[in-house]
Structure formats: C-alpha cells, structure tokens
Amino acid sequence: MKLEHSIEGKQVRIVTAENEVLTGVVEDYIFPEDNEPEGVAGINVYNCPKPGEWTGFNESDIRSIEIVE
C-alpha cells in the first residue's frame, strides 16, 4: 500500500496486513527518509484502536486505506 501525504488530518478506515479493520484520524505522515530504520512512509493514527490512543503504521503494515467522511 502506497501512503500519501494528502491523508494527513483525514478520518480513515485501515485494513491491516493481518486483515484487522481499524478507524482513526491520521495525525502525522512520516516521510520515508525520516522513518528510520525502515525507510518507508508511515502514519500515526489517533483514536486507533481505541479513543485517546495512538497507533503507528508503516506502508507494509497496511493492506488498504480509505478516507471516510
């Protein structure tokens, strides 16, 4: 899954590589060059999996992502 900077600030539904479905708000997009040692884009998602919690995902952790309104 190729992540894009444009999803920052958006409410999203994520299907993980393990087929878990999660929702939350993308608070931070991490550019590949800033994501050491992985070297791939990543995101930090707020209210995921529970309200008030943060979860980080690398591109390889995500099967699909869609913006929800």
Side-chain angles (χ1 to χ4, degrees):
M1 175 75 228
K2 181 76 172 157
L3 295 175
E4 297 180 13
H5 185 260
S6 63
I7 63 172
E8 192 172 58
K10 307 285 186 185
Q11 176 81 23
V12 295
R13 180 177 300 117
I14 297 169
V15 178
T16 69
E18 293 83 28
N19 288 321
E20 185 177 9
V21 179
L22 303 167
T23 59
V25 177
V26 177
E27 292 290 331
D28 294 307
Y29 172 87
I30 303 151
F31 289 92
E33 57 271 17
D34 295 330
N35 193 6
E36 295 293 333
E38 291 85 359
V40 297
I43 54 174
N44 289 322
V45 183
Y46 185 64
N47 289 335
C48 177
K50 298 177 185 172
E53 291 187 7
W54 292 85
T55 304
F57 297 95
N58 288 323
E59 285 180 334
S60 58
D61 300 327
I62 299 172
R63 179 164 292 170
S64 69
I65 189 167
E66 65 179 293
I67 296 171
V68 293
E69 299 298 325

